[in-house]
Amino acid sequence: MRQPQPTFEVDGAVIRHRRMRMGLEMSELADRAGISRRYLSHLENGTRTQMRPRRYTALCKALDAETPDLLAPPRSHTPKE
């Protein structure tokens, strides 16, 4: 039985901000990270929030980011009344 692979929950706004700060078009960053432009678009607009480790590491490298830099902030669990 295969164990599910861990994923990283990313913050699309942070990815977009870093890309724009570096002066990169979406297609340029996608090429550098080895992902499709469509996949990157889904990450940036929040349609997709989970990334597998290999892709996350490649995106961090392409954005010159440290591993935790692109992660979504932890969700606070508030009890429902």
Side-chain angles (χ1 to χ4, degrees), residues 20-68:
M20 294 177 82
R21 194 175 69 206
M22 291 177 75
L24 297 172
E25 295 293 326
M26 256 191 195
S27 56
E28 292 175 288
L29 177 56
D31 286 345
R32 288 182 184 193
I35 60 177
S36 72
R37 186 196 170 288
R38 183 174 178 170
Y39 182 76
L40 178 57
S41 175
H42 286 291
L43 292 171
E44 286 191 3
N45 69 33
T47 304
R48 168 166 257 171
T49 60
Q50 301 291 319
M51 293 186 78
R52 301 255 167 130
R54 185 175 45 92
R55 285 184 176 170
Y56 180 75
T57 300
L59 184 60
C60 284
K61 184 176 179 182
L63 287 171
D64 196 28
E66 297 295 322
T67 301

